[in-house]
């Protein structure tokens, strides 16, 4: 397979990924972490080795992203964006069996925070850029490579910063490929790869109740805590009806065609029996959610405070933003002020066109007989920011996973790791995709 003088992407990917895992890029949601600068410099070095001219861009000190344009055979064609984030969510080393920043291979698995989210994909991209450039090959069209800061805190200091301040970097780009898609699941004994074509939107709300402050010993009919608690209770207990966006219907249809039976979409246990922990992701895309997460009120046991507030994490299906907002207002009732702390859009595209064909063909060439199913992601990715530039985004970070491998739990979980064979598969598959995109 591999020639001694010419490294292949699958031969390079594990070392590249391990090196990235050893650089702590924990994102605590503010700027108290180490930042992405060190990782960005490392990536820029690799891109320079591959003959590219990367630019390192800081949104603030230490919060660095790297962007490079990889010239293709036909610069007249629309360009493709391949992007990955460099930051990771924090990891508590004492909870892990292997140190989260060691980048160690144990029993055929590469361990570390970011092993599946998403230094694996960063490494697959870099391995292919290096292998192709050393072989003197170009991609068929221009590819913009972006390694981004701050995705885990919403991307304001990474992708969004670039979209708002450096949009010329993405001139001519019409499509993007990034994370949380392209991994395999077992469906009725067949291997299926989930291609991400949609993302739920998010709406982070602060609810505030005001009332009359006073002494806790007295009869009180305008208590902010009571009013807020009732509103939060209604919002948290609300049963959102099932509503399938087109991407989820497409997933259910693909599942039915593959398994010969209907997807048990309204039965949590049956869904988990069919899809393992991936069922949690699928289930969250069959309805809107409104989840209270933080309560703040009061400062002394016998004092009624003047105000009480709560934070609610709402996630809406494509097209449902206004409906969710209206419903939350109705559930909250009188006397509750609702403020949007942060929101981001839902995305949905269709699983068709030449880019989807190239992703599908690459997977099926590396794993003959496998199926490819479109799906909707219950969380969000940096594709939301690039959508602002009219760029159509997909999740395709290919991984063939051993059956029973609990992929969904590893995202932001302890003991995050990726099988080396999966990484190598991903590098080969992504390489096929890049050469045919
Ligand atoms: Zn991620």
């Amino acid at each position: 397979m591999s020639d001694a003088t010419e490294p292949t992407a699958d031969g390079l990917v594990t070392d590249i990924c391990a090196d990235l895992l050893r650089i702590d890029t924990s994102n605590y949601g503010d700027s108290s972490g180490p930042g992405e600068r060190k990782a960005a410099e490392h990536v820029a070095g690799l891109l320079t080795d591959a003959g590219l001219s990367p630019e390192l861009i800081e949104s603030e000190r230490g919060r660095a992203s790297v962007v490079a344009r990889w010239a293709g055979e036909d610069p007249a064609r629309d360009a493709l964006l391949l992007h990955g984030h460099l930051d990771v969510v924090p990891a508590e080393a004492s909870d892990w069996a292997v140190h989260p920043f060691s980048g160690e291979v144990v029993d055929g698995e590469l361990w570390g925070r970011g092993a599946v989210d998403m230094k694996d994909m960063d490494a697959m991209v870099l391995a292919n850029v290096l292998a192709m450039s050393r072989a003197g090959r170009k991609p068929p069209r221009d590819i913009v490579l972006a390694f981004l800061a701050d995705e885990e805190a919403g991307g304001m200091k990474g992708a969004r910063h670039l979209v708002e301040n450096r949009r010329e970097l993405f001139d001519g780009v019409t499509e993007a490929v990034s994370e949380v898609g392209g991994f395999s699941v077992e469906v009725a004994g067949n291997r299926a790869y989930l291609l991400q074509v949609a993302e739920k939107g998010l709406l982070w709300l602060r609810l505030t109740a005001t009332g009359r402050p006073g002494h806790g010993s007295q009869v009180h009919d305008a208590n902010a805590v009571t009013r807020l608690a009732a509103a939060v209770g209604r919002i948290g207990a609300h049963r959102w009806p099932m509503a399938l966006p087109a991407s989820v219907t497409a997933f259910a249809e693909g599942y039915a065609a593959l398994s010969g039976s209907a997807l048990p979409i309204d039965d949590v246990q049956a869904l988990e029996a069919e899809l393992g922990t991936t069922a949690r992701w699928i289930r969250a895309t069959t309805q809107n959610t409104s989840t209270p997460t933080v309560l703040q009120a009061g400062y002394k046991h016998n004092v009624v405070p003047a105000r009480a507030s709560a934070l609610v994490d709402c996630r809406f299906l494509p097209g449902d933003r206004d409906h969710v907002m209206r419903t939350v207002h109705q559930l909250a009732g009188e006397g509750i002020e609702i403020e949007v702390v942060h929101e981001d859009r839902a995305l949905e595209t269709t699983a068709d066109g030449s880019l989807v064909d190239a992703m599908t063909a690459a997977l099926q060439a590396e794993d003959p007989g496998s199926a490819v199913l479109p799906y909707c992601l219950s969380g969000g990715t940096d594709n939301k920011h690039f959508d602002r530039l009219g760029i159509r985004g997909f999740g395709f970070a290919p991984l063939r996973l051993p059956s029973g491998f609990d992929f969904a739990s590893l995202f932001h979980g302890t003991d995050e790791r990726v099988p080396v064979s999966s990484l190598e598969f991903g590098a080969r598959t992504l390489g096929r995709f890049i050469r045919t995109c």
Side-chain angles (χ1 to χ4, degrees), residues 3 9-10 24 56 69 81 111 124 152 168 208 217 226 233 239 243 259 303 338 355 428 437:
D3 182 295
D10 57 354
D24 180 357
L56 210 129
R69 193 172 274 255
L81 170 63
W111 287 60
M124 289 178 209
E152 295 292 0
E168 78 282 2
T208 305
S217 66
T226 308
R239 302 195 89 134
S259 70
V303 177
I338 299 180
L355 195 75
R428 287 193 300 273
C437 65

Side-chain angles (χ1 to χ4, degrees), residues 268-283:
V268 190
Q269 278 169 355
L271 198 63
E272 235 176 269
E274 285 301 304
L275 298 172
T277 48
T278 306
R280 295 178 207 156
W281 287 353
I282 301 298
R283 181 163 153 70

